[in-house]
């Protein structure tokens, strides 16, 4: 109900169309989004904001879906989220949104864990706890497809990511679909087996920084500052020696693990440390096919809105083409600012 209420509120809000000098960005704990915590604490975000004469506040939200709801309701100008959630929450709610930073894709960081069982087939008849209608739900559907099963073979139990570890620790919960660092913690519990993960569907779960399109149009300096800060952070994080260790150690501790644990999560993440790497995916035809698949899943689950007649109801604009209704584009992958970073023009 909280999610639906936020979407109704989002529909009633006017787009943020005027230039401003103060902005808010929110993020939640995930291996690919911890760099924002580091960038804020180290003053990198502030440095880039100062360069363009703006103030950027970076805020952590403990509940992932709630962070997207708050962004959709206009409380934040930008927010970290996946490609599917960007489509099904803000875009489906009428909030025109742009993927400003394509940060990585999950290559094992999202997974399904069973207690006392060892295969996807063992999901049959079970309750599966997950953040309903999120990428964890998408992952579950893809896993079931791999075994010729469907969601009719089990029961989905909606569970906040903030509660996932505690819930799995109870006797009644025997199956979860979730993401790191929660996934690693749950998988390490006794009698637990990861039976499927996102490495089986590489490039389909993409982690982004999404920004309100109208806000970006009115404030290109915000796009420049955020992208500039991101790639400075990426440079620190990927550097050899003390700087890289220090950056990743901070990110590890801020996400509740240690350096070894964080590096294990990075090993199952295809991080785009350079803008060229990010542009390779953003500009690809594969992105178009991926978003078509995501749109079809979303339509099947009623995530594109009650009035959506088909999977192409919401237009998704990408460099290699537009999927869906070009007259109803609400989600965009804009390579402009990442290209500026690649060209050294920020």
């Amino acid at each position: 109900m909280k999610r639906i209420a936020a979407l109704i509120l989002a529909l009633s809000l006017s787009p943020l169309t005027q230039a401003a000098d103060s902005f808010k960005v929110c993020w939640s704990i995930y291996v690919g989004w911890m760099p924002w915590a580091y960038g804020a604490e180290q003053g990198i975000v502030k440095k880039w904001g100062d360069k363009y004469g703006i103030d950027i506040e970076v805020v952590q939200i403990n509940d992932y879906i709630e962070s997207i709801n708050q962004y959709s309701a206009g409380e934040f100008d930008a927010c970290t989220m996946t490609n599917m959630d960007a489509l099904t929450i803000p875009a489906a709610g009428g909030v025109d949104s742009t993927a400003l930073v394509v940060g990585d894709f999950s290559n094992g960081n999202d997974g399904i864990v069973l207690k006392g069982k060892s295969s996807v087939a063992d999901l049959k008849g079970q309750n599966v706890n997950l953040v309903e209608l999120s990428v964890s739900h998408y992952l579950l559907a893809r896993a079931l497809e791999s075994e010729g099963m469907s969601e009719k073979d089990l029961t989905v139990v909606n569970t906040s990511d903030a509660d996932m570890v505690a819930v799995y620790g109870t006797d009644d919960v025997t199956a979860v679909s979730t993401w790191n660092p929660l996934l690693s913690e749950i998988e390490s519990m006794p009698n637990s087996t990861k039976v499927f993960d996102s490495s089986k569907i590489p490039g389909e779960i993409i982690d982004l920084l999404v920004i309100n399109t109208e806000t970006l149009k009115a404030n290109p300096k915000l796009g420049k500052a955020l992208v500039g800060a991101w790639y400075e952070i990426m440079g620190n994080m990927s550097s050899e020696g003390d700087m890289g260790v220090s950056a990743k150690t901070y990110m590890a501790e801020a996400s509740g693990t240690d350096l070894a644990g964080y590096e294990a999560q990075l090993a199952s993440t295809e991080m785009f440390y350079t803008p060229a790497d990010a542009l390779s995916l953003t500009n690809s035809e594969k992105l178009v096919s991926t978003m078509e698949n995501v749109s079809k899943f979303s339509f099947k689950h009623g995530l594109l809105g009650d009035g959506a007649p088909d999977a192409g109801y919401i237009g998704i604009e990408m460099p290699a083409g537009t999927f869906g209704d070009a007259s109803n584009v609400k989600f965009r992958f804009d390579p402009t600012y990442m290209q500026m970073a690649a060209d050294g023009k920020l």
Side-chain angles (χ1 to χ4, degrees):
M1 290 302 103
K2 184 189 299 181
R3 177 176 180 271
I4 295 172
L7 292 181
I8 292 171
L9 176 60
L11 283 168
S12 70
L13 295 173
S14 298
L16 304 176
T17 57
Q18 296 189 355
D21 57 14
S22 182
F23 304 92
K24 294 176 67 177
V25 177
C26 63
W27 64 278
S28 55
I29 290 178
Y30 175 71
V31 57
W33 297 328
M34 296 316 299
W36 288 112
Y38 169 82
E41 194 274 340
Q42 292 293 314
I44 296 173
V45 175
K46 182 181 185 306
K47 183 183 85 172
W48 280 87
D50 289 347
K51 177 177 180 178
Y52 289 100
I54 59 176
D55 178 68
I56 303 172
E57 181 182 1
V58 179
V59 179
Q60 178 186 350
I61 306 293
N62 288 330
D63 185 301
Y64 168 61
I65 294 297
E66 181 60 20
S67 72
I68 307 175
N69 287 341
Q70 290 188 31
Y71 160 79
S72 300
E75 295 177 33
F76 290 91
D77 301 290
C79 179
T80 57
M81 65 188 80
T82 68
N83 53 322
M84 192 187 93
D85 295 325
L87 173 65
T88 62
I89 304 181
V95 180
D96 195 323
S97 296
T98 294
L100 180 69
V101 173
V102 176
D104 67 85
F105 68 75
S106 175
N107 198 27
N109 264 324
D110 296 77
I112 300 168
V113 177
L114 299 188
K115 189 183 295 179
K117 302 289 183 178
S118 59
S119 72
V120 170
D122 291 324
L123 285 165
K124 189 169 185 177
Q126 294 212 45
N127 291 336
V128 182
N129 291 70
L130 51 75
V131 177
E132 193 172 13
L133 311 180
S134 72
V135 292
S136 294
H137 201 161
Y138 176 77
L139 184 76
L140 174 64
R142 297 287 276 119
L144 293 171
E145 287 173 13
S146 72
E147 291 292 327
M149 299 165 64
S150 74
E151 290 180 52
K152 293 179 181 179
D153 294 310
L154 47 78
T155 301
V156 168
V157 180
N158 189 30
T159 307
S160 167
D161 57 309
D163 300 328
M164 197 69 68
V165 175
V167 164
Y168 184 77
T170 65
D171 292 339
D172 293 339
V173 175
T174 57
V176 299
S177 180
T178 190
W179 54 80
N180 273 323
L182 310 177
L183 177 63
S184 295
E185 188 170 352
I186 289 170
E187 188 182 1
S188 69
M189 292 183 181
N191 203 28
S192 299
T193 302
K194 183 171 68 177
V195 298
F196 192 88
D197 66 34
S198 53
S199 68
K200 306 287 178 60
I201 53 168
E204 294 189 32
I205 299 176
I206 309 168
D207 302 307
L208 312 167
L209 178 69
V210 170
I211 188 168
N212 181 287
T213 300
E214 295 302 321
T215 300
L216 179 61
K217 286 181 180 178
N219 301 276
K221 57 190 177 182
L222 176 60
K224 293 177 182 179
L226 288 171
V227 173
W230 177 258
Y231 286 114
E232 180 173 339
I233 297 165
M234 289 296 97
N236 289 1
M237 183 181 179
S238 61
S239 66
E240 300 290 340
D242 292 343
M243 180 176 288
V245 170
S246 176
K248 287 181 285 189
T249 298
Y250 177 87
M251 296 175 202
E253 293 174 352
S255 63
T257 187
D258 55 17
L259 180 58
Y262 189 68
E263 288 186 328
Q265 294 173 34
L266 284 173
S268 52
T269 307
E270 187 66 30
M271 289 294 298
F272 300 135
Y273 289 112
T274 69
D277 290 338
L279 287 164
S280 179
L281 175 64
T282 306
N283 293 331
S284 70
E285 292 185 1
K286 183 180 186 302
L287 179 62
V288 180
S289 62
T290 292
M291 292 312 301
E292 180 177 357
N293 289 337
V294 169
S295 295
K296 288 178 178 177
F297 168 88
S298 301
F299 174 68
K300 180 180 178 182
H301 287 77
L303 302 181
L304 301 183
D306 293 337
D310 54 47
Y313 175 63
I314 297 173
I316 307 169
E317 186 177 88
M318 296 159 278
T322 296
F323 173 76
D325 188 350
S327 67
N328 187 38
V329 172
K330 294 296 180 184
F331 185 27
R332 308 161 194 270
F333 285 79
D334 184 355
T336 301
Y337 296 88
M338 291 183 290
Q339 188 65 57
M340 288 181 184
D343 295 340
K345 293 182 178 179
L346 291 179

